[in-house]
Amino acid sequence: MTASKGETMLKKVMMRLPRQEAYHNMVTGQYMRIILRLMGKENLESELMWHHLSPFDYHDIGKAFLDQDLMAEQTIYTKDQELLMMAHVDYGTGVFQQIAEIEPDARMFCAAAEEIVLFHHECFDGSGYPDGLSGRDIPLLARVCAVANVYTRLRENAGGPMYQRTIKESLDALKRYSGTFFDPDIVEIFVKGTTEELMEKQLVRQLDIIESHHFSF
Ligand SMILES: [Fe+2]
Ligand SMILES: [Fe+2]
């Protein structure tokens, strides 16, 4: 099946992103899936898919329209640079508005992607952007993305291995900003789920070691 006009447009924009940034979008999408599964909302994604595409995989797509030299900078941004960076939520929203216009069957997909792209930098206490929404006025998928996005940033080593945080450090950071940046219910579910999964893995490893000893003679 040949790709539709909208799919081609999406692919072209994504290809303008540096590889590390494209990867960041995909990994954040994966964490969104994990969080939604922990919330018992694993079926939500299938209702929003368009062809084989998920609206979870594009939250920072608008960065494709930013000055790539600015993006590559590892220093702290000046106020002006920060304003330029903040525009990525509007640029990204524009992409999905255009796709919605030319692809009538992508309506649900585009609406969900727009919510995520536009509001993933809103903060639970109202101190975020672009609209300063707070609490549950921030759409659910954007609240989920906010947690997934920051966790992904902390875990990845985009600025070099020294910037990469351990799982524990990253979860602690989420807890520190629970209720200010993040929806506290989502942080609690994610931290609990991840910790349990890690403990389970550790238990499996311990059982492996015990069994390998037991069966080795
Ligand atoms: Fe972003
Ligand atoms: Fe991001």
Side-chain angles (χ1 to χ4, degrees), residues 21 24-25 28 59-60 63 88 120-121 149-150 153:
E21 275 302 309
H24 167 77
N25 281 274
T28 300
H59 75 281
D60 275 338
K63 289 189 177 176
H88 77 283
H120 73 275
H121 286 290
N149 174 36
V150 171
R153 273 288 180 237

Side-chain angles (χ1 to χ4, degrees), residues 79-206:
K79 200 83 210 136
D80 286 348
Q81 286 175 323
E82 215 175 284
L83 285 173
L84 289 172
M85 284 295 284
M86 284 162 75
H88 77 283
V89 301
D90 297 311
Y91 293 138
T93 306
V95 173
F96 291 100
Q97 283 169 345
Q98 280 187 48
I99 294 173
E101 271 175 33
I102 56 174
E103 306 276 4
D105 63 333
R107 206 174 40 85
M108 297 265 284
F109 165 81
C110 287
E114 274 180 48
E115 273 188 2
I116 294 166
V117 170
L118 188 59
F119 297 126
H120 73 275
H121 286 290
E122 295 288 4
C123 294
F124 202 72
D125 64 1
S127 64
Y129 69 91
D131 290 350
L133 299 180
S134 62
R136 310 243 140 71
D137 283 346
I138 306 166
L140 172 73
L141 289 176
R143 276 181 278 135
V144 169
C145 183
V147 173
N149 174 36
V150 171
Y151 185 77
T152 304
R153 273 288 180 237
L154 291 166
R155 292 288 296 132
E156 69 195 14
N157 62 0
M162 63 181 286
Y163 290 98
Q164 187 175 23
R165 297 287 170 257
T166 64
I167 294 174
K168 182 171 183 318
E169 285 168 341
S170 305
L171 294 177
D172 284 347
L174 294 183
K175 283 195 272 187
R176 208 171 313 131
Y177 296 106
S178 172
T180 48
F181 287 3
F182 309 120
D183 182 332
D185 293 342
I186 296 175
V187 170
E188 196 187 327
I189 286 169
F190 182 56
V191 170
K192 190 168 171 276
T194 309
T195 310
E196 276 172 6
E197 218 158 282
L198 283 173
M199 281 169 65
E200 217 166 276
K201 269 191 194 143
Q202 222 160 347
L203 189 68
V204 170
R205 247 198 321 264
Q206 281 169 359

Side-chain angles (χ1 to χ4, degrees), residues 27-45:
V27 177
T28 300
Q30 287 290 16
Y31 280 113
M32 285 188 69
R33 270 168 215 116
I34 289 171
I35 293 171
L36 287 166
R37 176 170 51 78
L38 291 167
M39 294 173 87
K41 295 184 186 295
E42 56 269 48
N43 295 331
L44 191 56
E45 186 179 24

Side-chain angles (χ1 to χ4, degrees), residues 38-55:
L38 291 167
M39 294 173 87
K41 295 184 186 295
E42 56 269 48
N43 295 331
L44 191 56
E45 186 179 24
S46 60
E47 292 163 24
L48 304 169
M49 296 284 284
W50 175 49
H51 302 172
H52 58 288
L53 304 175
S54 164

Side-chain angles (χ1 to χ4, degrees), residues 48-84:
L48 304 169
M49 296 284 284
W50 175 49
H51 302 172
H52 58 288
L53 304 175
S54 164
F56 299 175
D57 296 331
Y58 305 97
H59 75 281
D60 275 338
I61 192 173
K63 289 189 177 176
F65 301 95
L66 298 182
D67 178 58
Q68 296 305 308
D69 290 338
L70 171 68
M71 291 248 311
E73 278 202 39
Q74 298 297 336
T75 53
I76 295 169
Y77 296 119
T78 63
K79 200 83 210 136
D80 286 348
Q81 286 175 323
E82 215 175 284
L83 285 173
L84 289 172

